Amino acid sequence: MEGLVERLEKAVERLETVCQRPGMCGDASAKGVAQYVQAFDALLAGPVAEYTKISKEVGGDVQKHAEMVHAGLMSERALLVVASQHQQPAENAFSELLKPISEQIQAVQNFREKNRGSKLFNHLSAVSESIPALGWVAMAPKPGPYVKEMTDAAMFYTNRILKEYKDVDKKQVDWVKAYLSIWTELQAYIKEYHTTGLTWSKSGPVATAGAKAPPAPPAGVAPPPPGPPPPPAPASSSTDDSASRSALFAQINRGEGITSGLRHVSDDMKTHKNPALKNQGGPVRSGPKPFTAPKPACNADPSQGSSPKAPPLLELEGKKWRVENQENATNLVISDTELKQVAYVFKCTNSTLQIKGKINSITLDNCKKLGLVFDDVVGIVEIINSRDVKVQVMGKVPTISINKTDGCHVYLSKNSLDCEIVSAKSSEMNVLIPSEGGDFTEFPVPEQFKTVWNGQKLVTSVTEIAG
């Protein structure tokens, strides 16, 4: 018995010795990690973990998409760790540091494009439209408002999810709340730690393109402390600077004599008096280019460098009519329709589509110079990300939605004059109303508005110039 007690005492002593070392025995103080990195870890452990959990329960494409989003957030954490340990780098080095985030954003958006036939396409679209918010680290001086703008871009699709599943599947509603909470919490995080842009360390070495953050530490182990400060500058640099300044002031103090060394420029050497000089070419100097997020690295395999052109498609898939990638097709017709069916028209150019009978809804997405004629729609006709489209109603439709579209003509029938037309971020919209003689009268949809404060709330009205 005494031997057992003695062994237990020795084991306790060893445990106490280990626990006195930094980062052991669940020491979560995270010494050496910047406070804003710890706050970002809290974001990952809270809203992001909840979103990932619910996405896993939903499964399918949503789960795969969530894994990509999580990878993007981990790339962002790596950049935050680098920023907490390094001084701000030059623009080209910063662009290299942004590459992993940019590549993850591209992967998320490409996944949506490759799965347009997914039953959870609205989920994929909500994520794809808002994932550029990860680029807030390059959006000084207003990173917070940028995240909000990207979040608003997702609202169109999250509202569709809520409308579809509100009284059907609570899990889908929880998914929307969990996903949107990520960006809401991120805005609060940015406001507290990075109000005017990504906060860099004021000490430590200047970040380089090859700077990498250590991997996220496992639970109970503190990360290593930051690297040592940079070596002191050579003593001779201050002497050289003083000598340079002295020489500069000596030149300035020469007064008018400072111009004595300048060469006279005759008229034949001036471009505005000798046009022949303009045609001689030569380097053109320009100012610095604005920052743009770097494009993902090209695939090493040249056979995969550019995706092949997608084939045209017109088929019924379940309850969805898919009309995709049609070009110069002027006789597309969908005639065998049912009330429960929907039509999704994607990336069609210089084509005409007629839908006969009564259908649930129609969506035009990323189409150019498309003409659509349909009989009756019991739900909604949506026009998204399109240009120069014409839509004609032969029967009735309750709502037409125009979003992110430039150039849209809507021809209403006499039975559809009570149709509601909702527009956002669109231009050159016209509604044509039938007259008694069979002709149409064109009315432009206002694009310019005036907003004033009346003492209690904001009041918005159409400006006179908008008609």
Side-chain angles (χ1 to χ4, degrees), residues 17-348:
T17 302
V18 172
C19 285
Q20 288 174 359
R21 298 175 187 172
M24 299 299 179
C25 288
D27 179 11
S29 60
K31 295 178 182 178
V33 177
Q35 186 177 358
Y36 66 70
V37 178
Q38 296 181 45
F40 193 81
D41 286 340
L43 181 75
L44 293 174
V48 176
E50 181 67 14
Y51 157 71
T52 306
K53 174 188 172 184
I54 298 177
S55 297
K56 189 174 181 180
E57 294 174 356
V58 175
D61 293 335
V62 170
Q63 180 181 356
K64 296 176 183 177
H65 225 198
E67 293 170 357
M68 296 179 183
V69 173
H70 186 266
L73 288 163
M74 293 307 295
S75 297
E76 188 141 284
R77 183 193 185 277
L79 178 60
L80 292 174
V81 174
V82 170
S84 70
Q85 300 175 359
H86 297 77
Q87 297 183 50
Q88 186 169 359
E91 182 176 318
N92 58 345
F94 186 40
S95 297
E96 288 295 320
L97 291 172
L98 288 172
K99 265 191 176 180
I101 298 176
S102 177
E103 290 172 355
Q104 289 299 330
I105 292 174
Q106 193 67 39
V108 170
Q109 294 179 330
N110 288 342
F111 185 82
R112 188 271 293 263
E113 295 303 319
K114 293 177 181 178
N115 292 275
R116 286 191 165 269
S118 173
K119 295 180 180 179
L120 301 172
F121 181 71
N122 286 332
H123 298 66
L124 304 185
S125 296
V127 175
S128 184
E129 291 290 331
S130 54
I131 196 64
L134 291 179
W136 68 266
V137 289
M139 292 299 166
K142 296 182 178 181
Y146 173 75
V147 174
K148 185 180 186 305
E149 182 181 348
M150 294 299 101
T151 308
D152 292 343
M155 290 295 186
F156 176 80
Y157 294 99
T158 55
N159 288 340
R160 294 179 69 175
I161 297 171
L162 293 176
K163 182 179 180 181
E164 182 178 356
Y165 293 101
K166 184 177 181 180
D167 300 320
V168 179
D169 189 347
K170 185 176 181 298
K171 186 183 298 180
Q172 306 290 348
V173 177
D174 292 340
W175 182 90
V176 170
K177 293 178 180 178
Y179 179 70
L180 293 180
S181 70
I182 294 176
W183 307 121
T184 303
E185 292 296 324
L186 182 60
Q187 290 176 56
Y189 165 81
I190 292 171
K191 185 176 181 180
E192 183 172 356
Y193 297 102
H194 310 275
T195 309
T196 57
L198 179 60
T199 302
W200 292 86
S201 174
K202 295 182 180 179
S203 60
V206 176
T208 60
K212 292 185 178 180
V221 179
S236 61
S237 62
S238 60
T239 306
D240 295 340
D241 290 343
S242 299
S244 299
R245 283 195 296 270
S246 299
L248 174 63
F249 284 117
Q251 290 286 336
I252 294 174
N253 289 333
R254 291 173 60 189
E256 295 182 358
I258 195 171
T259 63
S260 60
L262 297 179
R263 185 180 62 166
H264 175 69
V265 180
S266 59
D267 287 346
D268 62 336
M269 300 171 65
K270 300 176 181 178
T271 56
H272 66 284
K273 292 191 176 183
N274 188 358
L277 293 177
K278 296 182 180 180
N279 302 324
Q280 294 180 3
V284 179
R285 302 181 64 182
S286 61
K289 296 181 179 180
F291 169 77
T292 54
K295 296 181 179 179
C298 295
N299 197 315
D301 185 357
S303 64
Q304 299 178 1
S306 59
S307 57
K309 188 176 181 181
L313 181 69
L314 196 162
E315 67 177 14
L316 178 61
E317 186 180 86
K319 297 179 181 179
K320 177 191 290 188
W321 282 99
R322 295 177 58 188
V323 185
E324 301 179 5
N325 307 306
Q326 299 284 350
E327 291 188 9
N328 303 314
T330 58
N331 56 351
L332 299 174
V333 179
I334 298 177
S335 57
D336 188 15
T337 58
E338 297 179 4
L339 185 60
K340 294 182 179 181
Q341 294 175 348
V342 301
Y344 180 72
V345 185
F346 172 69
K347 222 168 187 176
C348 293

Side-chain angles (χ1 to χ4, degrees), residues 359-404:
I359 197 170
N360 186 278
S361 66
I362 302 173
T363 299
L364 305 186
D365 188 0
N366 207 4
C367 295
K368 294 180 181 179
K369 296 183 179 180
L370 175 74
L372 170 67
V373 181
F374 64 90
D375 290 344
D376 295 287
V377 169
V378 297
I380 185 173
V381 174
E382 296 176 293
I383 306 164
I384 312 168
N385 296 322
S386 297
R387 285 185 57 189
D388 300 329
V389 297
K390 295 182 179 180
V391 178
Q392 183 169 5
V393 188
M394 304 303 291
K396 288 182 65 68
V397 59
T399 306
I400 296 177
S401 173
I402 308 171
N403 192 32
K404 296 181 181 179

